[in-house]
Amino acid sequence: MSEKEYIPKRAMSIHAHPDDQEFTVAGTLARWIQAGCEVVSVIVTSGDAGSNEPTKNADYKPELAKLREAEQSSANAEVGIKETVFLHYPDGALEPTLNLRRDLTRLIRRYKPEAVVTGDPQGVFYGNGYINHPDHRAAAQAALYAVFPSSETRLIFTELLAEGYEPHKVKRLYVHGSDKSDTWVDIAATIGIKVSALKKHASQLGDWDPEKMLREWAAEEGKEHGLEYAEAYKVMILSEEEDRG
Ligand SMILES: [Zn+2]
């Protein structure tokens, strides 16, 4: 990379489920936080479909949602994130609706992030073994269009103006999981934090220790870019203007 390392002053991380952020972008968020960035973590569903135990049925879902929100809050504390917002959409049935886009637009206008970090709404097949969860794509698509055009355009969702939320322009969008990555963030100093944050999601991991896999992924992403461990992004630069705040 020729440009000086980019560190936003404020960033928002938007993901479908508790644990998505830790599997994907938490190393970058931790690095930015160590450099003085404030991060807001937005979790669209509370992961209330995240159990295949034969004894668990619909009446378990509220309890599981509470458990997973607590796990996410612990993970965020590990990363250094002070603000977490749960939107409580249903896990496993997420769509990129206008309601979701409006909810995300409201949060962007409220917290005024300079950068937004999310997944790739176009990612469907990863390798030969993983079909991307449709909730991931839905959250990413709603986040993408909340960033542009909804947050910065005054006359989209005018009900938000009535609530007191003026337009806000996000300057950079970091998209993780793209097959067109162009930016590699060095996470050598924060991969340990990423691992310990992911381990907070005990309800999902069971006895499995995710450390080896996370390190292998990060080594793979970094290896052609001179980095021991990295997270890769496609970055949209929507404004070159420096933040003065
Ligand atoms: Zn997920």
Side-chain angles (χ1 to χ4, degrees), residues 145-158:
Y145 295 133
V147 165
F148 180 88
S150 304
S151 299
E152 67 177 64
T153 305
R154 191 173 178 81
L155 297 183
I156 298 177
F157 300 138
T158 49

Side-chain angles (χ1 to χ4, degrees), residues 15-21 23 45 68 91 130 132-133 135-136:
H15 297 279
H17 308 123
D19 81 18
D20 293 344
Q21 176 186 276
F23 271 111
T45 82
R68 297 203 61 191
D91 181 9
Y130 180 63
N132 195 10
H133 195 300
D135 290 1
H136 298 166

Side-chain angles (χ1 to χ4, degrees), residues 32-213:
W32 287 355
I33 287 165
Q34 287 179 352
C37 179
E38 285 177 17
V39 174
V40 179
S41 170
V42 178
I43 311 296
V44 177
T45 82
S46 292
D48 53 290
S51 170
N52 267 337
E53 274 186 55
T55 57
K56 305 293 192 202
N57 292 308
D59 58 356
Y60 176 59
K61 294 181 73 164
E63 185 185 332
L64 181 57
K66 273 210 182 79
L67 170 63
R68 297 203 61 191
E69 288 181 12
E71 289 175 345
Q72 185 65 56
S73 297
S74 302
N76 283 354
E78 196 72 22
V79 175
I81 293 168
K82 297 197 183 85
E83 188 87 36
T84 306
V85 178
F86 296 102
L87 289 177
H88 307 292
Y89 278 74
D91 181 9
L94 197 62
E95 292 277 358
T97 59
L98 284 175
N99 277 340
L100 176 55
R101 194 198 300 179
R102 184 190 300 104
D103 283 344
L104 294 174
T105 300
R106 182 185 293 107
L107 292 173
I108 291 169
R109 290 187 183 188
R110 178 186 299 164
Y111 289 101
K112 301 179 171 47
E114 185 183 322
V116 168
V117 182
T118 191
D120 182 355
Q122 294 183 310
V124 177
F125 303 111
Y126 287 90
N128 294 104
Y130 180 63
I131 297 170
N132 195 10
H133 195 300
D135 290 1
H136 298 166
R137 296 185 62 215
Q141 183 173 319
L144 172 69
Y145 295 133
V147 165
F148 180 88
S150 304
S151 299
E152 67 177 64
T153 305
R154 191 173 178 81
L155 297 183
I156 298 177
F157 300 138
T158 49
E159 59 272 42
L160 297 179
L161 288 178
E163 293 173 26
Y165 298 114
E166 293 292 323
H168 170 72
K169 185 167 180 67
V170 173
K171 293 180 179 164
R172 294 198 183 203
L173 177 69
Y174 274 61
V175 176
H176 185 270
S178 170
D179 59 4
K180 297 186 181 70
S181 294
D182 49 28
T183 301
W184 287 264
V185 176
D186 183 347
I187 64 160
T190 55
I191 185 141
I193 294 174
K194 181 177 189 175
V195 170
S196 51
L198 179 55
K199 285 181 177 175
K200 299 293 184 187
H201 296 280
S203 71
Q204 303 304 295
L205 301 180
D207 295 332
W208 178 60
D209 183 344
E211 177 156 12
K212 185 166 175 284
M213 191 190 77

